[in-house]
Amino acid sequence: MNSSLLRLKEVALYFLHLGCTGFGGPLALVSMMQQDLAEKRKWITTEEFVTAISLIKVLPGAFAFQTAVFMGHRRAGIPGGLLAGACLIFPAFLMMCGLAAIYDEWGGNTYFKTLTIGFGIGALALIIYSLVQISKPYQKQSLFYFCAAISFLGMFFQIAPEPVLILALGFLTWVWNFKSRKLSLEAGSILLLCWIAFKSGAFVFGSGLAIAPLLENDFVREQQWVDLATFMTALAFGQMTPGPVLVTITFLAFRLGGFPAAFAATFFVFLPGYIHMLTWFPIFFKKVSASRGFRDFAIGAIGGVIGAITVFVVRAFLPANGETNFVSAGPLILLSACLILIAKWKIPSWLIILGSGLVYFCTQI
């Protein structure tokens, strides 16, 4: 077997394994890649890896998925990049289809509903914790908090769509800092689903969790394809399964149109990541990896992400139409316990969600 085939096999086996065992969300997946591929296997130097992920993090698209495609491309060219992305998401895709397939049978069961409410509380705890993790590099910059506040207000009062806010805030902070330095189903429904998936995948800045407010707006509020409870269940399953959180859309699409819809939505939500990592980004990375402009853009873009995710969390706490309200003693205590476990002992996300569901279930029966 020649060296190129050996490298492709190496890429496929590694990312298939990571796709099956990579619990913990995008930050955990990228951390595993750094330890395995940069520090142990030496596919790339640690310094190059850190530089690459700092750039990928402010690009639109799924953070962990695009990092995987970049590393596959680095190891085995374009075929390696394609293979890395596919192998990473394939296990989670199958799991989400399976969960969606049994959801109709079990979804109306009172005990199952209680369990999924508990899952949703655990998922919310992970999202809140992720806000802190995503914000860490920018916590000392007042402009970042200003952008997060503007994004929150813009999303909460529906002044502008999330992608517009993120790009506008990123551009404005870049301009501001540049100026400162200068001075000192059906055919129609399937097409709509594919567009929503592509749009969501194209504007996921900073973390795969940033897809939550985008999907919630499209699936729950605009199209009313699912209710908030079902959406929260999909989000919880998306974090319980290994691989990128973007597979949340797989579950939602499967419920709308079965396997074909799930496949189409999954393909289009990850397509922007393939486009970025297999075309211009590897070349761009070599030339402008130390660009100050990207760091400036990140302040506004990630601030926009934080504001949008915070709106999603607030809406989840205060759902409309008589749906489950988390603002009561039991859910708040459980949410607080989950946050303490995540922050202090770094419990895996799937275990947090599963444990949250079981605890809530046991306290309600």
Side-chain angles (χ1 to χ4, degrees):
M1 187 180 293
N2 61 42
S3 60
S4 61
L5 289 178
L6 282 173
R7 289 194 171 201
L8 284 173
K9 180 181 178 181
E10 187 180 15
V11 167
L13 290 177
Y14 174 77
F15 284 104
L16 193 60
H17 175 265
L18 185 64
C20 291
T21 60
F23 297 98
L27 296 175
L29 285 172
V30 172
S31 177
M32 291 177 194
M33 282 185 254
Q34 179 176 339
Q35 293 175 17
D36 295 337
L37 304 182
E39 297 172 11
K40 293 180 181 178
R41 302 195 186 193
K42 308 296 183 184
W43 287 10
I44 188 174
T45 67
T46 301
E47 183 179 357
E48 287 179 319
F49 184 85
V50 172
T51 303
I53 64 173
S54 68
L55 292 173
I56 293 171
K57 195 169 185 180
V58 299
L59 291 176
F63 179 38
F65 172 76
Q66 293 191 147
T67 303
V69 175
F70 173 76
M71 291 303 300
H73 180 274
R74 177 88 176 198
R75 186 62 176 169
I78 290 178
L82 290 168
L83 199 57
C87 289
L88 180 68
I89 63 177
F90 182 66
F93 170 79
L94 290 181
M95 291 181 196
M96 293 299 277
C97 285
L99 289 168
I102 66 172
Y103 187 77
D104 278 332
E105 182 177 351
W106 292 93
N109 184 280
T110 302
Y111 295 120
F112 185 79
K113 284 184 177 179
T114 304
L115 192 63
T116 55
I117 290 170
F119 289 160
I121 294 171
L124 273 179
L126 288 165
I127 292 172
I128 294 170
Y129 182 72
S130 76
L131 292 175
V132 178
Q133 296 299 103
I134 297 170
S135 303
K136 273 187 176 180
Y138 316 102
Q139 286 178 350
K140 295 182 179 180
Q141 302 189 47
S142 57
L143 186 58
F144 168 76
Y145 292 102
F146 172 78
C147 291
I150 293 297
S151 174
F152 175 86
L153 293 173
M155 283 289 295
F156 189 82
F157 293 106
Q158 299 182 336
I159 297 171
E162 182 188 357
V164 173
L165 283 169
I166 290 173
L167 290 177
L169 289 169
F171 178 73
L172 287 174
T173 52
W174 177 82
V175 170
W176 176 271
N177 283 288
F178 180 77
K179 180 181 178 182
S180 299
R181 291 194 304 272
K182 288 273 287 184
L183 298 175
S184 168
L185 355 231
E186 296 172 358
S189 297
I190 287 292
L191 288 175
L192 178 58
L193 175 64
C194 292
W195 164 243
I196 289 172
F198 183 82
K199 175 188 67 173
S200 300
F203 290 101
V204 177
F205 286 88
S207 167
L209 289 172
I211 200 173
L214 281 170
L215 294 183
E216 188 262 350
N217 182 70
D218 285 324
F219 278 81
V220 179
R221 297 179 181 277
E222 294 292 332
Q223 304 303 323
Q224 298 183 348
W225 284 337
V226 298
D227 57 23
L228 183 61
T230 300
F231 179 82
M232 292 302 300
T233 300
L235 186 61
F237 287 156
Q239 294 186 82
M240 287 178 65
T241 52
V245 180
L246 267 67
V247 292
T248 297
I249 202 172
T250 305
F251 179 97
L252 296 169
F254 189 98
R255 288 189 47 74
L256 294 177
F259 187 85
F263 180 84
T266 305
F267 173 81
F268 277 99
V269 81
F270 287 106
L271 180 60
Y274 272 129
I275 293 172
H276 292 313
M277 294 299 110
L278 298 181
T279 55
W280 62 274
F281 184 79
I283 300 170
F284 183 76
F285 169 70
K286 294 179 181 179
K287 295 183 178 180
V288 294
S289 58
S291 169
R292 173 63 187 274
F294 264 92
R295 294 196 295 273
D296 294 337
F297 180 84
I299 296 172
I302 302 302
V305 170
I306 294 299
I309 296 177
T310 304
V311 169
F312 169 75
V313 171
V314 170
R315 285 176 175 169
F317 267 90
L318 302 171
N321 302 323
E323 295 176 7
T324 303
N325 190 342
F326 292 147
V327 186
S328 56
L332 285 176
I333 292 171
L334 181 56
L335 181 69
S336 301
C338 289
L339 285 170
I340 293 170
L341 289 172
I342 296 166
K344 191 169 183 179
W345 287 288
K346 310 298 183 185
I347 307 296
S349 60
W350 67 271
L351 191 56
I352 287 290
I353 295 172
L354 180 61
S356 174
L358 292 174
V359 169
Y360 188 80
F361 176 81
C362 292
T363 59
Q364 296 298 310
I365 59 173

